[in-house]
Amino acid sequence: PINVTAGEKFSQEQIKGRVFTVSLGDLNQTSAHKRVKLVVDTEMEKDSKIALTNFYGLDTTRDHLCSLIRKWYTLIDCFV
C-alpha cells in the first residue's frame, strides 16, 4: 500500500509523481466534457490525505469529440 512505509521505501516517495485524471466538472461544477490531468508533487504532512498537485494536461472526453465531428463533413485545420 502507498500509505505504509515499508523497509527503505517511504510512503511520501511512492505517491510522488503519480498522475490523476479528474473531470473539470468535479473541480468547479462547469464543463463536464473536459478532463484535467494533475501530477502529485509533495504530500502536505506525514500520514495525511492532502497532497500538492500541479497541472499536467487537459483533454476532451471521447463522447464530446464524437459529437463535434459529423460523418461526411470536411474538416478544416487552422493554425494560429
Side-chain angles (χ1 to χ4, degrees), residues 36-48:
V36 178
K37 292 182 181 179
L38 301 170
V39 63
V40 176
D41 279 341
T42 56
E43 191 177 4
M44 287 294 289
E45 295 175 6
K46 188 177 180 182
D47 298 332
S48 71

Side-chain angles (χ1 to χ4, degrees), residues 7-59:
E8 295 185 12
K9 292 183 179 180
F10 295 107
S11 61
Q12 294 90 355
E13 295 173 2
Q14 291 179 351
I15 198 166
K16 195 174 190 180
R18 289 194 178 211
V19 178
F20 295 96
T21 303
V22 182
S23 173
L24 190 60
D26 292 339
L27 295 177
N28 62 2
Q29 286 76 32
T30 60
S31 302
H33 57 85
K34 293 183 181 176
R35 294 181 298 195
V36 178
K37 292 182 181 179
L38 301 170
V39 63
V40 176
D41 279 341
T42 56
E43 191 177 4
M44 287 294 289
E45 295 175 6
K46 188 177 180 182
D47 298 332
S48 71
K49 294 185 178 184
I50 300 172
L52 295 176
T53 58
N54 265 339
F55 179 78
Y56 191 73
L58 183 69
D59 197 9

